[in-house]
Amino acid sequence: MLKVKDIADVIEDFAPKRLQESYDNAGLQIGNPEMDVTAALLCLDVTEEVLDEAIERHCNMIVSHHPLLFKGLKEVTGRTATERIVIKAIRENVAIYSAHTNLDSAWEGVSHEIAHVLDMSEISVLEPKDDNPSTGLGVIGKIQPTPKIEFLRKIKEAFKVKCLRYSSQSPQLVVRKAAICGGSGASLIREAIRNGADIIITGDVKYHDFTTYGLDIIIADIGHYESELCTKKIFSRIIREKYPDFVTYFAEAETNPIKYM
């Protein structure tokens, strides 16, 4: 039977922990690396509902994109949701593992997955890490020339975006080159402009990013959650390529913490 460390190792072969940003906390969050694993539940965020689903589906490991433990815990009393998850996961013997910005920076990681959905070609890393052209945040590539509004509609449909925020003042009429960063990628807007992108697709864009850069590039904010749901597919592919008989499930209890009216 596979162990927790076997699942961790195959993910880290794809997305080494050395690729994570300095502020991050990727890796095994809770659990014994030597514990046998029956099945794994794959998710974006570890919530109390996701943990309950893992227990109900007899999954004794959760693999998430966002780390449960991002900041240090000074107490574990059950007062917060994170503390309750820690207590229950330990009590129920459920391991929790996360691959975050290392998955973002890996080749064929989060931004690449978005690019494939949009049929981009000649894809390269937007902001290479340590001068390595195959790792780093964001990607940039070519798009079959598409009218701006048509391309924005394609994005909205492809990622099931209920409310697409985009820069209304951008003068570009046709999209030929696109930059992408899953999650929060506003810091890459200037790099996208420097590389000649017509559009950047990301999440968590601030008002002043629109006003500052909107005349230079189309900014499309599809939402943090929407841009990273693909991480479950990436985890599944990584694990199944190495261990085709290992059972994984996509979390069904997961919901977007942001609602739109």
Side-chain angles (χ1 to χ4, degrees), residues 8-259:
D9 285 348
V10 74
I11 294 173
E12 289 173 21
D13 284 344
F14 179 90
K17 286 174 66 176
R18 60 178 169 77
L19 295 181
Q20 71 176 321
E21 299 298 306
S22 60
Y23 60 81
D24 205 1
N25 188 35
L28 185 61
Q29 309 264 294
I30 295 172
N32 182 349
E34 298 294 336
M35 183 179 74
D36 291 338
V37 182
T38 54
L41 188 67
L42 313 179
C43 64
L44 178 58
D45 295 292
V46 183
T47 64
E48 293 180 273
E49 292 77 15
V50 167
L51 176 56
D52 287 341
E53 180 182 351
I55 295 167
E56 290 170 8
R57 300 180 84 162
H58 304 290
C59 298
N60 64 342
M61 185 173 185
I62 294 173
V63 178
S64 71
H65 183 47
H66 293 147
L68 171 67
L69 302 177
F70 219 137
K71 299 178 180 178
L73 291 177
K74 294 187 176 181
E75 60 183 23
V76 183
T77 63
R79 181 177 59 85
T80 67
T82 298
E83 292 172 15
R84 291 192 293 273
I85 292 168
V86 169
I87 293 169
K88 191 167 189 176
I90 293 173
R91 185 177 68 230
E92 298 291 339
N93 214 23
V94 176
I96 298 178
Y97 178 91
S98 301
H100 189 212
T101 53
N102 51 324
L103 191 68
D104 293 330
S105 286
W107 186 258
E108 290 297 336
V110 179
S111 297
H112 289 79
E113 190 69 28
I114 297 172
H116 295 323
V117 171
L118 295 175
D119 300 316
M120 286 172 56
S121 62
E122 299 182 33
I123 300 168
S124 60
V125 174
L126 181 59
E127 187 178 69
K129 192 176 184 69
D130 300 326
D131 296 322
N132 183 345
S134 64
T135 62
L137 296 174
V139 298
I140 189 165
K142 291 186 176 181
I143 294 286
Q144 184 70 28
T146 308
K148 175 173 67 175
I149 296 302
E150 182 181 332
F151 189 62
L152 289 170
R153 288 196 183 106
K154 179 178 180 179
I155 294 169
K156 193 172 188 290
E157 181 179 345
F159 299 99
K160 298 179 173 59
V161 179
K162 293 183 179 179
C163 179
L164 175 63
R165 301 167 67 232
Y166 71 94
S167 49
S168 62
Q169 75 271 42
S170 300
Q172 293 85 350
L173 298 177
V174 177
V175 176
R176 296 180 175 85
K177 194 173 187 180
I180 292 171
C181 184
S184 301
S187 62
L188 297 182
I189 294 175
R190 280 182 291 183
E191 192 66 20
I193 294 169
R194 192 179 70 81
N195 281 273
D198 300 303
I199 186 171
I200 181 166
I201 304 160
T202 188
D204 295 342
V205 180
K206 296 179 180 179
Y207 175 86
H208 289 294
D209 292 323
F210 286 105
T211 60
T212 302
Y213 304 111
L215 289 174
D216 300 307
I217 191 171
I218 305 165
I219 302 170
D221 185 338
I222 65 174
H224 196 123
Y225 176 87
E226 289 85 350
S227 73
E228 292 188 329
L229 272 178
C230 62
T231 54
K232 293 185 282 189
K233 186 189 300 183
I234 298 171
F235 286 137
S236 178
R237 185 171 64 241
I238 293 169
I239 295 169
R240 287 183 176 275
E241 283 180 0
K242 178 74 173 181
Y243 304 114
D245 296 327
F246 182 72
V247 178
T248 61
Y249 301 100
F250 287 3
E252 295 178 357
E254 188 166 60
T255 58
N256 192 340
I258 299 171
K259 297 296 183 185

